[in-house]
Amino acid sequence: MLTLYRIENSTNVERVALALAHKGLRAESVRVPADDRTAVRAVSGQDLVPVLVHDGRVVIDSMEIVRYLEDRFPATAPLYPRDPARRADCLLFIDWFNRVWKRPPNEITAELQKPEAGRDARRVERLGRAMQAYLDLFEDMLTGREHLQGEFSAADVAAFPFVKYATIHDPQDTEPFHQVLARYQRPGTDHPRVVDWIARVDARPRA
Ligand SMILES: N[C@@H](CCC(=O)N[C@@H](CS)C(=O)NCC(=O)O)C(=O)O
């Protein structure tokens, strides 16, 4: 049995929700309040979601969970290329996304939480430009293919919940990190493939 601990509107939970649905796996959801992680801490010893419990085994970290699902359920729709070279490209992309791409929005969010007098506006501007430039990179990655690695894969699972804010942002969603994702990713007429990719992946089911 699979159980997913989640909070509403979580980027990292959406990764797992996309992966579960792609693989046709059902999971019981435990929805916890964003401001009370007691249940998450009790089951996993830490506060962050997503947490997956599979027959008593606890897995934390969204992309570790996605890999775990692939390893444990290899017969269902794959999320990583079978070809070793392409699989390595996919793993590298995910590592880059987590370690490099995520830094500017995280750092802008932290900067904007400082009192106004102590903020480094130039740094925010520079980091914002980096986020916008990554849209150009995604546009190029999508040349001649519908997903970041051709077929829908863990690369799309990793990036979509964050990059989607370029076109999808509920004005009622005032979560600071989400506002940064929306504010500093502005697709223009030179990003048609990114815009189509967001719509394509957004049409997919979630668990
Ligand atoms: N590296 C972790 C990050 C998890 C994470 O930051 N989750 C957010 C929700 S998207 C969270 O639980 N934040 C709560 C907090 O920071 O207190 C993953 O990929 O799962």
Side-chain angles (χ1 to χ4, degrees), residues 58-72:
V58 179
V59 190
I60 59 169
D61 190 276
S62 54
M63 293 314 294
E64 287 300 319
I65 294 171
V66 173
R67 268 185 93 165
Y68 176 86
L69 292 172
E70 183 81 345
D71 289 348
R72 298 307 294 251

Side-chain angles (χ1 to χ4, degrees), residues 23 70 73-88 90:
K23 294 187 84 61
E70 183 81 345
F73 302 97
T76 59
L79 275 164
Y80 296 83
R82 300 264 189 250
D83 171 68
R86 293 191 56 236
R87 185 181 173 90
C90 185

Side-chain angles (χ1 to χ4, degrees), residues 7 10-12 15 37 47-50 61-62:
I7 60 171
S10 156
T11 45
N12 291 300
R15 286 170 154 183
R37 305 303 173 105
D47 284 354
L48 302 180
V49 291
D61 190 276
S62 54

